[in-house]
Amino acid sequence: MNVLPCSINTLKGLYDISGVEVGQHLYWQIGGFQVHGQVLITSWVVIAILLGSVAIAVRNPQTIPTNSQNFFEYVLEFIRDLSKTQIGEDYGPWVPFIGTMFLFIFVSNWSGALLPWKIIQLPHGELAAPTNDINTTVALALPTSVAYFYAGLTKKGLGYFSKYIQPTPILLPINVLEDFTKPLSLSFRLFGNILADELVVVVLVSLVPSVVPIPVMFLGLFTSGIQALIFATLAAAYIGESMEGHH
């Protein structure tokens, strides 16, 4: 039987695939770590936009809200309603987490369509939305996984793990696999959709640079917002599921 050599070859093939890169990238060497410079630059810009917007909106709160204050209050109410719908009555402590995920992904997605990243020249590669890189989407999905494990363990203690043998112990492997596939689906769904939107716009701009890309860009803004909403909704749903124990 050649099972062992075949398994080794399969693992080697998967390792080779993991090294495949889409486009060129700018890397920084910080100590013993290799850091993706493009992602850090665009992420810092997105964080600066969020912090600056909030600072401007809440620096002088009014009893009768101004337009900017009214807008941010509406966003907060929207995030609270989303969290309450998916998590339940214990949603309060999770509003900051869900809100941070939603706002960061939303602004990151829109930055790819609205900010002129392409005019900034880099030694290697070019700038794009942070969520256009799989490193960012995985970094967002992993804390979500930690969050729903933490929520379940905090609410139920070690009894949380009994869900893996419900409704029957036969489903133990499937229930365990489900928890591993959640961060994968979150990260790859977001990455794939944002990358596809930007590639479509780039291709259309190169083919028909005058009119066609404009409606596609507006469609990209819409789908980018939807992707942020989907990610936040699923994150809240996973947290609510771990606390309540239903599938």
Side-chain angles (χ1 to χ4, degrees):
M1 295 293 289
N2 295 324
V3 175
L4 183 58
C6 290
S7 300
I8 294 175
N9 290 334
T10 301
L11 292 175
K12 184 178 182 300
L14 292 175
Y15 177 79
D16 293 338
I17 291 174
S18 68
V20 175
E21 297 182 351
V22 179
Q24 294 182 341
H25 301 283
L26 173 66
Y27 292 103
W28 294 339
Q29 198 70 31
I30 301 179
F33 298 95
Q34 191 177 58
V35 181
H36 200 318
Q38 291 156 287
V39 172
L40 282 183
I41 293 172
T42 53
S43 296
W44 289 337
V45 171
V46 169
I47 292 171
I49 292 173
L50 288 171
L51 293 179
S53 301
V54 173
I56 293 173
V58 302
R59 64 180 176 179
N60 187 24
Q62 303 292 327
T63 305
I64 301 176
T66 59
N67 290 336
S68 59
Q69 183 180 338
N70 201 28
F71 172 75
F72 276 92
E73 288 180 359
Y74 171 77
V75 172
L76 177 59
E77 287 296 325
F78 172 78
I79 294 171
R80 289 179 60 187
D81 290 342
L82 171 65
S83 302
K84 185 176 182 179
T85 300
Q86 299 299 327
I87 298 175
E89 294 302 322
D90 297 327
Y91 73 96
W94 294 103
V95 171
F97 177 77
I98 302 300
T100 300
M101 287 290 181
F102 173 76
L103 291 175
F104 180 81
I105 294 172
F106 185 88
V107 176
S108 294
N109 293 351
W110 272 44
S111 71
L114 298 180
L115 297 182
W117 295 118
K118 301 294 187 290
I119 66 175
I120 302 176
Q121 299 296 321
L122 298 176
H124 302 284
E126 59 185 15
L127 298 177
T131 45
N132 187 33
D133 191 282
I134 190 65
N135 297 284
T136 305
T137 58
V138 170
L140 293 170
L142 290 179
T144 303
S145 298
V146 174
Y148 67 71
F149 275 114
Y150 173 80
L153 289 171
T154 302
K155 183 73 176 290
K156 300 180 178 181
L158 294 179
Y160 167 76
F161 294 105
S162 64
K163 73 168 190 171
Y164 291 113
I165 57 174
Q166 294 177 357
T168 171
I170 298 176
L171 296 179
L172 174 63
I174 296 176
N175 291 334
V176 172
L177 183 62
E178 181 184 6
D179 278 345
F180 281 99
T181 57
K182 285 176 181 177
L184 289 176
S185 65
L186 283 174
S187 56
F188 279 98
R189 179 189 295 109
L190 180 59
F191 164 68
N193 280 280
I194 301 307
L195 178 62
D197 286 341
E198 294 196 1
L199 288 177
V200 168
V201 172
V202 169
V203 171
L204 288 177
V205 167
S206 63
L207 295 177
V208 190
S210 300
V211 180
V212 176
I214 297 177
V216 176
M217 290 176 66
F218 280 109
L219 180 62
L221 291 175
F222 174 76
T223 57
S224 296
I226 293 296
Q227 289 304 315
L229 177 61
I230 290 174
F231 192 103
T233 301
L234 288 176
Y238 293 157
I239 293 171
E241 176 185 300
S242 67
M243 296 174 68
E244 298 300 327
H246 50 251
H247 295 269

